[in-house]
Amino acid sequence: RPRGAAAMAPVIDVNLGGCYSVKNHPLSGVTLLQWARLLRARWTQIDLLTYWPRLLFLTLMAALNTIGAIADWILYDAKIRAQELNDEPVFVLGHPRTGTTHLHNLLSKDPRFAYANTFQVGFPSSFLSTSWLAPHMGLIMDSTRPMDNMALAWDTPQEDEVAVNQLSSGASPYAPLLFMRREPEFRKFYDFEDCDADDFARWRDSFVYFLRKIQFAAGGAHRRLLLKSPVHTARVKLLREMFPKATFIFVHRHPYEVLS
């Protein structure tokens, strides 16, 4: 199957801008239950009058995603939970803008690795049943990443933490993408040292379940998981406890080169 932008249906270039913009939204794959949990915890922090178009969009997407999630649960849940994980995952670590995405893309070419793609992290609850829709969803995703000019398609490798943020209803450092003014409240999700047991369990259970689902989708535990999310750089101690045989690749770049 072709990789990259060529594998995606032509992008429908619709960009309403401002509060009406819904493209590349990190919660596009949320289910009704996950959405309700997030709203219950954070509704007082949402400017309802300003952002009602996005709320309406996400509620509609949540309803559609729930149908796919139910299909995934009926058809695959028992197999996913029984799926063994390869005990030698590879984690690509590094601060943003250091080249972790480039290395992730290169390593994903090796067929010995299993990795999460953009569609899978974007729709973590339903991607097994709805993968046939992926090439036709350019309406809600640009052909390049919003922060730079790198190609973006549904089958390009992507960060697993995007999926975990949705599955856990915001128990992630990625949640400030939605609640920027509350960013300090989410710092506990970097290394979990100041995190309570319930919040940690939400992240851990979501993370492990998603890895099992990716392993299952890749055909089993014979392929090593290739994982890249910059926030994992703060979790090496925890990840080593979870995966004693894991390999960590740290990418670094001089900050002057990044800023230039």
Side-chain angles (χ1 to χ4, degrees), residues 29-30 56 61 68 77 91 98 146 157 159 176 188 196:
V30 75
L56 182 62
M61 289 299 297
D77 188 67
F91 291 90
T98 58
E159 298 174 12
K188 62 185 179 181
D196 63 48

Side-chain angles (χ1 to χ4, degrees), residues 27 29-44 46 55 58-63 66 166-170 179 202:
L27 288 184
V30 75
T31 65
L32 284 173
L33 179 59
Q34 295 155 2
W35 183 223
R37 287 174 177 168
L38 187 60
L39 289 177
R40 184 178 62 181
R42 299 280 175 179
W43 71 271
T44 59
I46 300 173
L55 294 171
L58 290 175
T59 301
L60 175 61
M61 289 299 297
T66 299
Q166 298 188 81
L167 293 171
S168 66
S169 297
F179 303 99
R202 273 199 298 146

Side-chain angles (χ1 to χ4, degrees), residues 13-26:
D13 190 12
V14 177
N15 191 353
L16 300 176
C19 62
Y20 295 96
S21 176
V22 296
K23 272 196 170 184
N24 311 308
H25 201 288

